[in-house]
Amino acid sequence: MKIIKLSAIDSTNSFLKDLALTSTLENFTTVATDCQLNGRGQQGSSWESEPNKNLMFSVFLRFQSFEIAEKSYLNFAVSLAVYETLLAEKIPNIAIKWPNDILSGNKKICGILIENNLKGTEITSAVIGIGLNVNQIDFPATISKVSSLQLLCGKNFDRDILLEKIVFNLKRNIALLKAKEFYNLEAAYLDVLYKKNIPTMFKDHKNTLFMGMVVGISKEGKLQVALEDERVLEFGIKEISFL
């Protein structure tokens, strides 16, 4: 595994995507930084992090014969790699919040951004961006429901060791993905999905409130929510939120 460490960068995802345009990258090439100046999350949201406290990195993956229709399983593999690492570190009450946030209780500790390079009907490569709150203990008042490993466990964590463990688990899960072990990845993901089979209040993109229950993920990667009238609706990113 090749690791490129940078003291500061706008975005590790952007850096790695640009590098892939000018270089033939080894699979699992990783770029990590101590300070990310313009971190990005899902759908153009930002990711803010205190310098030298957290884990901010991106990993390059190359694929052969990986269909766009199977992209949800990549999300499962990546999310589970982080989840499994934190579970082994005994981080309490962790779950995966659809599509790929990692929570402890109801507080976010990790965000994931997957950017795919497409050709025809296939995903030829992907850049996986991961931001994990590790040793930061103070967060802006404007950010609610957020925590870090140190706040949860009361101790300092070695960021380099965490990075190695996450990439190790990622390699194992990508091997399952390439072996078409889709059922096992999906089952493991659904088993730790936040609020699955628990009656929950939701808000849709029209700010309408409704009661429902997460029951699964569609083949297109949408969240499946069962309503009180037994209908099952599907929602894309930003079309629904937990209240």
Side-chain angles (χ1 to χ4, degrees), residues 126-141:
V127 173
I128 312 299
I130 296 174
L132 175 63
N133 294 332
V134 181
N135 294 319
Q136 185 169 341
I137 58 174
D138 294 313
F139 292 91

Side-chain angles (χ1 to χ4, degrees), residues 91-95 102-110 147-148 152:
I91 309 304
N93 303 317
I94 55 172
I102 310 297
L103 306 185
S104 174
N106 67 345
K107 294 186 176 182
K108 182 175 177 176
I109 54 177
C110 180
S147 192
S148 70
L152 292 166

Side-chain angles (χ1 to χ4, degrees), residues 105-135:
N106 67 345
K107 294 186 176 182
K108 182 175 177 176
I109 54 177
C110 180
I112 297 168
L113 176 64
I114 301 174
E115 297 186 285
N116 297 314
N117 187 42
L118 312 178
K119 184 177 181 180
T121 62
E122 294 187 349
I123 298 173
T124 56
S125 63
V127 173
I128 312 299
I130 296 174
L132 175 63
N133 294 332
V134 181
N135 294 319

Side-chain angles (χ1 to χ4, degrees), residues 6 21 33 178 201:
L6 305 170
L21 294 175
T33 185
K178 291 183 176 180
M201 187 67 73

Side-chain angles (χ1 to χ4, degrees), residues 54-236:
N54 302 316
L55 195 52
M56 295 159 290
F57 67 99
S58 297
V59 181
F60 177 81
L61 302 177
R62 183 178 288 105
F63 297 101
Q64 292 180 341
S65 302
F66 182 40
E67 294 291 326
I68 295 173
E70 299 167 344
K71 67 178 182 179
S72 292
Y73 301 108
L74 173 59
N75 180 52
F76 298 163
V78 175
S79 303
L80 285 167
V82 179
Y83 174 90
E84 290 156 353
T85 302
L86 299 182
L87 185 67
E89 294 294 322
K90 296 182 170 51
I91 309 304
N93 303 317
I94 55 172
I96 300 173
K97 181 182 175 184
W98 175 83
N100 47 31
D101 285 342
I102 310 297
L103 306 185
S104 174
N106 67 345
K107 294 186 176 182
K108 182 175 177 176
I109 54 177
C110 180
I112 297 168
L113 176 64
I114 301 174
E115 297 186 285
N116 297 314
N117 187 42
L118 312 178
K119 184 177 181 180
T121 62
E122 294 187 349
I123 298 173
T124 56
S125 63
V127 173
I128 312 299
I130 296 174
L132 175 63
N133 294 332
V134 181
N135 294 319
Q136 185 169 341
I137 58 174
D138 294 313
F139 292 91
T142 53
I143 302 176
S144 61
K145 294 185 178 179
V146 64
S147 192
S148 70
L149 305 192
Q150 184 171 147
L151 284 173
L152 292 166
C153 298
K155 65 176 184 178
N156 225 34
F157 285 81
D158 187 311
R159 292 178 294 151
D160 290 336
I161 292 177
L162 284 172
L163 173 60
E164 290 178 5
K165 290 180 176 179
I166 291 173
V167 175
F168 175 85
N169 286 329
L170 180 61
K171 285 183 176 181
R172 184 187 60 207
N173 288 351
I174 294 301
L176 293 175
L177 182 72
K178 291 183 176 180
K180 306 291 184 181
E181 297 282 345
F182 297 148
Y183 175 81
N184 291 334
L185 287 169
E186 183 174 12
Y189 178 90
L190 292 177
D191 191 49
V192 297
L193 188 60
Y194 179 68
K195 294 288 188 181
K196 184 172 183 288
N197 295 330
I198 298 174
T200 304
M201 187 67 73
F202 294 92
K203 181 171 68 174
D204 66 16
H205 64 288
K206 297 179 181 178
N207 289 323
T208 301
L209 303 181
F210 64 95
M211 183 66 72
M213 189 165 61
V214 173
V215 292
I217 307 295
S218 73
K219 288 184 178 180
E220 294 75 29
K222 293 186 175 183
L223 187 70
Q224 296 175 323
V225 179
L227 306 185
E228 293 175 296
D229 61 8
E230 298 186 351
R231 288 183 298 151
V232 176
L233 301 184
E234 296 182 355
F235 298 90

Side-chain angles (χ1 to χ4, degrees), residues 35-50:
C35 180
Q36 189 162 243
L37 305 174
N38 189 28
R40 294 178 291 121
Q42 294 283 0
Q43 299 286 302
S45 61
S46 62
W47 179 268
E48 297 183 14
S49 177
E50 184 178 342

